Amino acid sequence: MPSVFIKTYGCQMNERDSEAVAAQLVTKGYSLAKSESAADVVLLNTCSVRDLAEQKAINKMKNLVGTAKKDRPNQILGYMGCMAQSRGKELIEKLPDVDLVLGTQKFHRAAEYLDELLAGKREKIVDVEAEAKSEATIREHLLNGSAKTSVSAFVSIMQGCNQYCTFCIVPYTRGEERSRSIPDIVAECRQLVSQGVKEITLLGQIVTSYGKRGFGRAELPLGQDAQQRVPTTDGKSPFVQLLEAVHEIRGLERIRFTAPHPKGYDDDLVEAYARLPKLVESAHLPVQSGSDRVLKLMHRGYTRDRFLGIIKKLRRAKPDIGITTDIIVGFPGETEDDFEQTLSLAREVQFDNAYIFKYSQRRDTPAAGMPDQVPLKIREERNHRLLETVNEIGKRKYDAFVGRRTQILVEGPSKKNPARMTGRTRCNKIVVFEGAERHRGQLLDVKITRAGSFTLYGDPAIVNL
Ligand code: SAM
């Protein structure tokens, strides 16, 4: 049977999509190749959020055409995911050695299309059509193959986005928001737990919108107030109802989710942290800017005050909560004063970490055509200044763990040094310690002895054996 190599660019949702495609292919008898040069099929799962990510995938494909495919002329090359969706057949027109372009609603068709290409029944396949119910097709998991059990798994709860932030390409690459049903998601989580998974991260572009447009495709007539379709029960949003349902699963130890949106971050979700012990003390809440003027231009739908209010409530509910964010610097029209407000917000919130992005013009997005685009030099300079502030705060936060005892869930050997094990605190910090394979999947108390750059080190001497 053929072998496949999948390379993933971008976010956790892309990682999850790649895993589902790999699992689908393994079920059909494909093996997973260790390198692209050894594979019969190479798939690049692409990201379009920034131009850099697109260029990386395009250069990678050009490189494959000139190397791996030269040695294996029958090798099948494919693009899938966000860039495949937004560029479609243009990708094959530019690089005729590409055989497959698979859109974001078509991952479940990967095996069928590859079979046709490998059998020579079709020469090229481009499929970027919308497909009803495709949100429920990202469900197969690999769980690291046979002997070793994955401790942590990602579960896709919805696809698409209706927020239309002016900088963002996602609504155009992932389509409109569609949510899977609660029973369907719970069944997948139960299955994972029965296979040894202890921690589940619920994934969606904006999880706080989960279920708000009903399940499946939005059917209400245009112009009807979105709030009318919210199936809220006892003041709890559909997302909080989903958290409660997943929380019931016996054997599941921890629940995480990403990414919520400050606009839909209501008190029921803050209260869920206080009520549901498996919901760990960790929140990734993208703020994007500290300036109200820029937030408005971005069409984010909240103010700086509203964001700070949510953080305050979260810390009141869970004082030790780890808080991370996404920030864009150099959005069109961002002045030095706007940027200073972002710096001051970062200092005020004291994020544990922040992912900082230099604004990147994306085609078809409103911000790409806005006046006062910020020159690259200024975007780079702001990126650098904000990074310094974020790193300084992060270092203090990580240093504060030294000497403390904390619970970790052991995930497996450290990627950098496989002789050591890594685990994760409830507040989402990586802890490296001198453990052994038998610790995998265990909840352990460790004493933190040292803090490195966004990594903690635990003392093996007091690991509970
Ligand atoms: N759905 C999440 C939200 O809107 O809060 C974020 C998803 S996006 C894949 C991850 C991050 O990429 C965003 O939070 C944003 O900071 C960044 N991003 C999106 N579009 C961008 C652009 N045009 N330029 C730079 N960064 C961008």
Side-chain angles (χ1 to χ4, degrees):
M1 283 303 283
S3 60
V4 61
F5 184 86
I6 305 179
K7 182 163 174 61
T8 310
Y9 298 86
C11 63
Q12 287 155 319
M13 274 153 266
N14 287 11
E15 295 282 351
R16 176 69 198 104
D17 295 337
S18 291
E19 187 202 14
V21 169
Q24 177 200 139
L25 294 174
V26 167
T27 308
K28 301 271 178 196
Y30 285 67
S31 62
L32 299 179
K34 291 227 160 33
S35 69
E36 51 236 24
S37 56
D40 300 307
V41 176
V42 181
L43 298 174
L44 302 185
N45 193 5
T46 55
C47 168
S48 283
V49 162
R50 282 168 300 145
D51 185 53
L52 188 69
E54 290 204 349
Q55 292 314 320
K56 273 190 194 165
I58 290 170
N59 289 337
K60 179 75 192 171
M61 192 60 96
K62 284 184 184 158
N63 186 266
L64 287 170
V65 169
T67 56
K69 183 135 179 149
K70 268 221 167 99
D71 296 336
R72 290 173 165 257
N74 293 329
Q75 190 178 51
I76 301 289
L77 296 177
Y79 280 116
M80 57 182 192
C82 289
M83 186 177 69
Q85 184 69 41
S86 67
R87 297 197 180 206
K89 67 174 176 2
E90 166 198 327
L91 290 168
I92 291 189
E93 284 161 4
K94 288 212 169 124
L95 209 55
D97 281 298
V98 173
D99 307 286
L100 174 66
V101 177
L102 198 62
T104 51
Q105 304 197 26
K106 298 292 172 178
F107 293 116
H108 57 293
R109 304 218 176 265
E112 171 192 333
Y113 289 157
L114 287 175
D115 284 352
E116 288 178 354
L117 289 166
L118 284 160
K121 287 186 191 154
R122 288 169 78 178
E123 250 183 56
K124 306 273 173 205
I125 298 179
V126 178
D127 189 356
V128 294
E129 291 298 305
E131 188 172 323
K133 304 278 178 225
S134 60
E135 67 278 6
T137 59
I138 310 294
R139 55 198 322 142
E140 277 112 359
H141 291 262
L142 268 181
L143 298 183
N144 276 0
S146 50
K148 293 175 188 162
T149 320
S150 282
V151 171
S152 185
F154 292 105
V155 170
S156 169
I157 65 168
M158 62 200 293
Q159 288 288 320
C161 183
N162 283 38
Q163 177 61 29
Y164 291 94
C165 298
T166 53
F167 53 81
C168 191
I169 200 169
V170 169
Y172 313 99
T173 60
R174 293 252 168 197
E176 66 183 278
E177 219 167 73
R178 294 104 59 209
S179 301
R180 295 172 64 188
S181 73
I182 292 180
D184 191 28
I185 296 167
V186 170
E188 182 178 329
C189 295
R190 268 191 211 291
Q191 173 73 17
L192 287 166
V193 173
S194 75
Q195 291 170 284
V197 165
K198 299 277 167 46
E199 174 182 275
I200 284 176
T201 303
L202 303 174
L203 287 181
Q205 283 301 333
I206 297 189
V207 293
T208 35
S209 298
Y210 170 80
K212 289 193 176 177
R213 287 176 173 77
F215 300 98
R217 256 162 216 295
E219 275 124 23
L220 288 191
L222 276 177
Q224 195 161 338
D225 180 3
Q227 289 303 314
Q228 288 176 21
R229 8 183 219 244
V230 177
T232 300
T233 311
D234 299 334
K236 291 177 210 152
S237 62
F239 182 60
V240 171
Q241 293 169 45
L242 171 67
L243 287 173
E244 288 178 343
V246 174
H247 195 269
E248 295 275 291
I249 298 173
R250 258 211 207 154
L252 178 64
E253 302 281 0
R254 291 176 169 190
I255 305 170
R256 302 183 187 277
F257 58 82
T258 196
H261 192 294
K263 188 174 149 191
Y265 214 111
D266 294 326
D267 288 350
D268 61 330
L269 185 51
V270 176
E271 282 154 18
Y273 276 101
R275 249 180 337 109
L276 305 174
K278 294 178 186 178
L279 184 57
V280 291
E281 296 80 24
S282 167
H284 179 72
L285 193 53
V287 65
Q288 313 299 2
S289 171
S291 152
D292 281 345
R293 206 181 65 81
V294 173
L295 287 173
K296 199 162 183 195
L297 287 172
M298 287 176 163
H299 189 231
R300 290 293 287 178
Y302 55 87
T303 59
R304 174 192 178 101
D305 265 4
R306 155 94 179 141
F307 182 84
L308 292 172
I310 299 168
I311 302 293
K312 212 179 203 172
K313 285 182 192 170
L314 280 170
R315 291 209 165 116
R316 206 179 298 137
K318 289 281 169 188
D320 285 335
I321 194 163
I323 298 178
T324 55
T325 196
D326 292 344
I327 299 174
I328 295 177
V329 294
F331 181 82
E334 184 189 72
T335 61
E336 181 59 24
D337 180 58
D338 292 318
F339 175 65
E340 289 285 343
Q341 291 181 49
T342 299
L343 278 175
S344 93
L345 179 117
R347 288 193 204 103
E348 189 168 343
V349 175
Q350 297 277 299
F351 292 110
D352 292 67
N353 200 357
Y355 300 91
I356 305 167
F357 303 95
K358 283 174 279 197
Y359 169 71
S360 168
Q361 269 179 315
R362 309 314 296 129
R363 67 168 157 185
D364 299 334
T365 59
M370 283 183 183
D372 304 321
Q373 298 284 326
V374 177
L376 178 62
K377 201 159 175 285
I378 296 180
R379 280 181 280 148
E380 279 172 347
E381 187 252 339
R382 288 180 185 165
N383 182 72
H384 180 72
R385 279 163 67 197
L386 184 56
L387 199 62
E388 267 185 356
T389 302
V390 164
N391 287 348
E392 205 181 289
I393 296 166
K395 178 160 175 21
R396 244 181 286 130
K397 292 222 135 192
Y398 275 68
D399 284 348
F401 272 80
V402 177
R404 289 215 321 232
R405 257 180 109 95
T406 185
Q407 185 207 63
I408 60 167
L409 175 62
V410 183
E411 292 179 357
S414 153
K415 276 191 195 125
K416 280 195 191 149
N417 178 357
R420 293 182 181 173
M421 297 295 279
T422 62
R424 210 173 276 267
T425 66
R426 286 175 64 91
C427 61
N428 210 18
K429 296 187 170 48
I430 304 254
V431 179
V432 177
F433 69 106
E434 307 268 340
E437 186 54 43
R438 69 180 184 285
H439 294 127
R440 189 196 285 262
Q442 286 188 25
L443 288 167
L444 296 177
D445 278 342
V446 291
K447 185 175 175 181
I448 303 302
T449 54
R450 188 162 69 84
S453 172
F454 296 104
T455 306
L456 298 172
Y457 296 86
D459 185 345
I462 65 148
V463 164
N464 305 336
L465 294 171

